[in-house]
Amino acid sequence: MRIVFMGTPDFAVPSLEALLRSDNQVVGVVTQPDRPKGRGQHLMPPPVKLVAERAGIPVLQPLKIRTPEFLAALSAWKPELIAVTAFGRILHAPILRLPPRGCVNVHGSLLPKYRGAAPVQWAVINGETETGITTMLMDEGMDTGPMLLQEKLAILPEDTAGTLAPRLAKLGGRLLVETIARLKAGTLTPQKQDETEATMAPLLKKEDGLMDWTMGAQALANRVRGLSPWPGAYTFLSAERWNIWKVVPNAASSTDKPGTIVAMTKQSIIVATGHGLLEILEIQTANSKRMPVAQFLAGHRVAAGLQLGTAAP
């Protein structure tokens, strides 16, 4: 089958690689434009582009996809099916109608739960113990199309969004190839999503990382995991920003105001929350690298009774 693949970040790479190993013909790849990254703000190609170029697959990187020029270029590849994994843009009707077999999306959740741009992160933030991959036929809605295949994956207690995503991406590649094979064989019946079960997973912003100490310890621990590696959880001690990378909830109670440092051990800083205590195990301050709290405390003066929260005005 002639397939055009649309995807951009690392999460999309296993899907493209799985297609390249299959008996399908990837005739073209569409990805987002190169973006400036790092301190030097050098233009860096998306991970999907690098894979496509190594395989000798032609690549399109349109600034806009709602143009006659892009639609003409896409049409020239004569795709029978368009496969989409984390492309980063919503496809409009002319693109969706182009391939005879439709557009198949790989989504990182058990739809209809966690529709949207950040399903992996929100599943961890919300304390889910399992998630998965859903393949679906795309329509003009936000992840609302009929489902094709779905497979569950456990979220481990120590998982962050960063450790969970590669496992989901690998599963997504396998499920995409299986979905296409069964579509070709005519053995797959699309299933309508149950709208009453739908939840959203909106795009995260940098400010979403600010810790609200009035939340419970377990909820804060889940949030730290779900926000890692981006945008990262953070708090302030006066004007000093602390990026928080690893924590452990503690069910012990405290009468201290949420955000109060109640104690220190050799390995942790213990903070009162709205319910229970939170032990900070790994931290990062401005112009420093991530480090265990034991190393941090060796070079910083921290005392019980200090208050964590928003930056001082």
Side-chain angles (χ1 to χ4, degrees):
M1 184 182 294
R2 291 177 62 85
I3 293 175
V4 167
F5 180 77
M6 304 178 76
T8 302
D10 287 320
F11 189 85
V13 166
S15 290
L16 176 55
E17 291 177 335
L19 285 175
L20 292 171
R21 292 191 299 267
S22 72
D23 59 358
N24 298 287
Q25 181 186 6
V26 180
V27 296
V29 165
V30 182
T31 190
Q32 294 209 32
D34 297 359
R35 305 288 188 194
K37 288 188 178 180
R39 291 185 177 179
Q41 290 293 285
H42 300 296
L43 283 178
M44 297 294 290
V48 161
K49 178 182 179 180
L50 297 176
V51 175
E53 288 181 336
R54 285 196 297 267
I57 307 297
V59 176
L60 289 175
Q61 294 179 274
L63 289 171
K64 298 180 179 180
I65 63 173
R66 293 175 177 263
T67 65
E69 293 79 11
F70 173 67
L71 187 61
L74 194 61
S75 300
W77 280 336
K78 297 181 173 58
E80 297 173 74
L81 180 145
I82 294 176
V84 183
T85 303
F87 176 51
R89 293 179 183 172
I90 295 176
L91 305 188
H92 60 309
I95 295 175
L96 296 172
R97 291 195 299 259
L98 176 62
R101 298 259 189 180
C103 298
V104 173
N105 179 242
V106 175
H107 187 73
S109 80
L110 299 173
L111 289 172
K113 294 184 71 173
Y114 299 113
R115 295 173 175 173
V120 181
Q121 294 92 330
W122 282 106
V124 178
I125 289 171
N126 289 339
E128 302 283 2
T129 57
E130 68 176 12
T131 183
I133 290 289
T134 305
T135 57
M136 65 176 178
L137 286 173
M138 298 177 70
D139 59 18
E140 292 188 78
M142 175 68 76
D143 303 320
T144 56
M147 299 181 296
L148 296 169
L149 289 179
Q150 192 170 81
E151 188 168 325
K152 295 179 180 179
L153 184 71
I155 300 177
L156 305 177
E158 66 274 14
D159 264 329
T160 65
T163 61
L164 177 60
R167 300 205 309 276
L168 279 171
K170 184 177 180 180
L171 172 59
R174 177 170 62 77
L175 216 59
L176 174 60
V177 171
E178 182 181 348
T179 297
I180 293 171
R182 291 180 60 178
L183 283 173
K184 287 193 290 187
T187 60
L188 204 51
T189 302
Q191 301 291 322
K192 185 178 180 180
Q193 295 188 40
D194 183 351
E195 292 296 323
T196 66
E197 297 291 328
T199 61
M200 299 304 296
L203 186 69
L204 289 163
K205 307 178 293 297
K206 287 184 179 180
E207 52 266 34
D208 290 324
L210 181 61
M211 298 180 74
D212 177 1
W213 292 104
T214 65
M215 297 172 62
Q218 184 62 63
L220 282 168
N222 293 340
R223 197 165 184 88
V224 170
R225 292 165 52 225
L227 296 171
S228 176
W230 195 93
Y234 64 93
T235 190
F236 290 91
L237 178 60
S238 295
E240 183 179 46
R241 174 168 165 151
W242 288 8
N243 292 329
I244 309 299
W245 292 110
K246 188 175 181 181
V247 298
V248 173
N250 186 322
S253 61
S254 171
T255 59
D256 291 281
K257 179 182 176 182
T260 302
I261 296 174
V262 299
M264 279 86 63
T265 70
K266 290 183 178 179
Q267 290 82 29
S268 67
I269 297 170
I270 305 173
V271 185
T273 74
H275 180 71
L277 302 174
L278 193 68
E279 298 190 38
I280 302 173
L281 303 178
E282 190 173 325
I283 196 171
Q284 180 181 17
T285 55
N287 301 316
S288 72
K289 62 182 181 179
R290 291 169 57 166
M291 65 183 75
V293 160
Q295 181 181 344
F296 173 78
L297 290 175
H300 293 76
R301 296 183 66 179
V302 178
L306 293 175
Q307 187 71 32
L308 300 177
T310 57

